């Protein structure tokens, strides 16, 4: 008799615990959705309208190592089909390790584009959207991407201002002002969204695109280091909402939230970066109809890429 009463009490206790857990889970989901929608509405007020987005087909898969690769693109015409991709990056996510790596592919790499012959790699986006660019990377470097995200530069500004009310701390190497809409003085300082965007887009110096790619990677590392922590993870749904109207992607919001949580956790460590082409693997000839290009040693760069993501 006492045993039966004990079992009933134990069962009742676990039922209460389960109900409390489900209640807390429901509150958490509801709060996250509220924060997400608040972020979306905040950006839509800035835009004053819900921007139309081109619907792209994208047939990528996880790579041969089981990693998730996200093709990150910044378009110089902000989503129009005829534009060339201004920035080409691949974010590598290893779910088992919870680690992230970042590869930047310079837009002037002279490679074979399936069905179009040899061109600068950023022309692939103009010819066939993100999927043709994915195919081009796979054909030349033997690496597939499961997702793509085309980022409107205004979304970058909004995200930075929301996540960093006091700005992102960056050491600006030199004075920068030509064609970036702001003037940046040299020295360590905090940059708001507009200033940071100018910093990562600047290329009018002797380093040209090489310097720009280096600054982009440096900025990603700074954002990761300065965002990491529990408080930021709590703000993640709103941050995703803020940037959503500015991003064309085939990723579900739940996927972004899951990967974003891992990216911001202290366990993910620092973000390792790679630039293609690597040093001593290219020449810079002038090609009729293309101008100056980066004529790369494809095999050498392919090996470097695979060593980078598997080490």
């Amino acid at each position: 008799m006492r045993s039966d009463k004990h079992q009933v009490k134990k069962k009742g206790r676990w039922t209460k615990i389960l109900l409390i857990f489900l209640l807390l889970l429901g509150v958490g989901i509801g709060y996250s959705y509220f924060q997400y929608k608040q972020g979306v509405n905040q950006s839509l007020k800035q835009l004053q309208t819900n921007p139309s987005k081109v619907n792209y087909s994208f047939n990528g898969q996880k790579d041969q190592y089981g990693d998730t690769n996200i093709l990150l693109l910044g378009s110089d015409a902000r989503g129009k089909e005829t534009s060339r991709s201004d920035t080409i990056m691949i974010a590598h996510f290893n779910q088992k390790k919870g680690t992230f790596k970042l590869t930047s592919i310079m837009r002037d790499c002279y490679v074979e584009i399936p069905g179009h012959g040899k061109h600068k790699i950023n022309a692939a986006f103009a010819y066939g959207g993100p999927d043709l660019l994915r195919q081009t990377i796979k054909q030349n470097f033997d690496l597939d991407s499961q997702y793509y995200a085309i980022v409107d530069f205004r979304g970058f500004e909004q995200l930075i201002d929301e996540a960093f009310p006091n700005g992102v701390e960056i050491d600006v190497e030199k004075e920068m002002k030509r064609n970036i809409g702001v003037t940046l003085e040299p020295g360590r300082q905090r940059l708001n969204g507009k200033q940071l965007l100018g910093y990562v887009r600047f290329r009018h110096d002797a380093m040209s695109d090489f310097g720009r790619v280096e600054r982009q990677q440096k900025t990603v590392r700074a954002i990761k280091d300065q965002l990491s922590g529990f408080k930021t993870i709590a703000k993640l749904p709103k941050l995703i909402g803020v940037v959503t109207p500015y991003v064309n992607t085939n990723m579900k919001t739940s996927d972004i939230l899951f990967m974003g949580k891992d990216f911001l956790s202290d366990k993910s460590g620092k973000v390792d970066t790679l630039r293609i082409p690597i040093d001593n693997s290219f020449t810079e000839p002038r090609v009729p109809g293309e101008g100056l290009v980066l004529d790369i040693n494809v095999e050498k760069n392919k090996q470097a890429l695979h060593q980078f993501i598997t080490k």
Side-chain angles (χ1 to χ4, degrees):
M1 189 73 174
R2 289 181 179 177
S3 177
D4 290 342
K5 287 182 179 180
H6 178 71
Q7 290 294 329
V8 169
K9 286 183 178 179
K10 189 175 181 181
K11 185 176 180 180
R13 184 168 65 249
W14 281 109
T15 300
K16 288 179 181 178
I17 292 172
L18 178 60
L19 288 174
I20 291 171
F21 172 77
L22 292 174
L23 178 62
L24 292 173
L25 180 63
V27 170
I29 292 173
Y31 177 76
S32 295
Y33 181 74
F34 171 77
Q35 288 288 304
Y36 168 77
K37 292 299 291 184
Q38 190 178 50
V40 170
N41 293 333
Q42 181 176 310
S43 289
L44 290 179
K45 286 180 181 178
Q46 293 284 337
L47 289 166
Q48 297 182 336
T49 181
N50 198 344
S52 59
K53 297 177 181 178
V54 179
N55 291 319
Y56 294 107
S57 62
F58 196 80
N59 301 306
Q61 304 290 332
K62 286 189 175 184
D63 65 27
Q64 58 267 53
Y65 309 111
D67 290 353
T68 298
N69 296 316
I70 307 163
L71 188 56
L72 301 173
L73 307 173
S75 173
D76 55 12
R78 294 179 178 177
K80 294 180 181 177
E81 292 182 273
T82 56
S83 67
R84 292 192 174 204
S85 44
D86 189 54
T87 298
I88 303 171
M89 293 181 171
I90 306 172
H92 315 277
F93 173 54
N94 184 305
Q95 184 175 346
K96 289 183 179 179
K97 298 179 182 177
T99 58
F100 290 82
K101 297 182 179 182
L102 186 69
T103 297
S104 296
I105 302 178
M106 296 189 66
R107 61 183 184 173
D108 290 342
C109 289
Y110 195 53
V111 297
E112 286 285 344
I113 297 176
H116 296 273
K118 257 195 158 181
H119 295 278
K120 292 180 180 180
I121 194 169
N122 68 340
F125 183 76
Y127 291 143
D131 196 59
L132 183 58
L133 182 52
R134 175 194 68 80
Q135 293 175 47
T136 301
I137 293 170
K138 186 176 181 181
Q139 176 174 302
N140 287 275
F141 304 111
D142 190 29
L143 190 75
D144 207 353
S145 295
Q146 186 175 5
Y147 299 111
Y148 75 88
I150 306 169
V151 182
D152 184 319
F153 294 125
R154 293 171 296 176
F156 178 82
E157 289 185 35
Q158 294 294 321
L159 178 64
I160 294 302
D161 287 339
E162 179 64 34
F164 298 94
N166 298 318
V168 176
E169 187 174 347
I170 287 285
D171 187 8
V172 179
E173 312 93 76
K174 63 187 76 175
E175 183 185 74
M176 301 177 187
K177 60 182 180 180
R178 186 177 170 188
N179 293 345
I180 60 173
V182 294
T183 297
L184 302 176
E185 300 295 337
R188 182 164 289 278
Q189 57 201 279
R190 291 188 174 274
L191 303 182
N192 62 26
K194 185 176 182 179
Q195 292 168 328
L196 192 61
L197 178 60
Y199 176 75
V200 300
R201 298 198 73 189
F202 179 77
R203 62 187 182 91
H204 295 282
D205 61 3
M207 292 295 291
S208 188
D209 272 349
F210 286 92
R212 184 175 68 159
V213 166
E214 185 178 325
R215 282 187 288 277
Q216 289 172 348
Q217 294 184 340
K218 174 182 173 182
T219 299
V220 170
R221 292 193 295 267
I223 289 172
K224 164 70 171 70
D225 292 343
Q226 295 173 45
L227 264 181
S228 296
F230 177 77
K231 289 183 179 179
T232 304
I233 291 175
K235 290 175 60 178
L236 187 58
K238 185 175 182 181
L239 296 178
I240 293 173
V242 166
V243 79
T244 291
Y246 299 95
V247 177
N248 187 337
T249 182
N250 64 335
M251 296 180 70
K252 297 178 181 177
T253 302
S254 56
D255 293 329
I256 300 173
L257 187 62
F258 175 77
M259 292 185 199
K261 174 181 62 65
D262 280 4
F263 177 74
L264 296 176
S265 72
D266 294 328
K267 294 180 181 179
S268 65
K270 67 183 182 71
V271 177
D272 292 326
T273 58
L274 175 73
R275 185 204 71 210
I276 289 184
I278 60 173
D279 290 340
N280 304 314
S281 71
F282 63 94
T283 58
E284 298 181 76
R286 186 175 294 275
V287 175
E290 295 280 352
L292 286 173
V293 304
L294 298 175
D295 192 11
I296 70 172
N297 182 322
V298 171
E299 188 61 32
K300 192 172 182 179
N301 281 281
K302 179 170 69 175
Q303 289 178 6
L305 174 61
H306 286 260
Q307 288 174 3
F308 171 69
I309 61 178
T310 56
K311 68 180 180 181

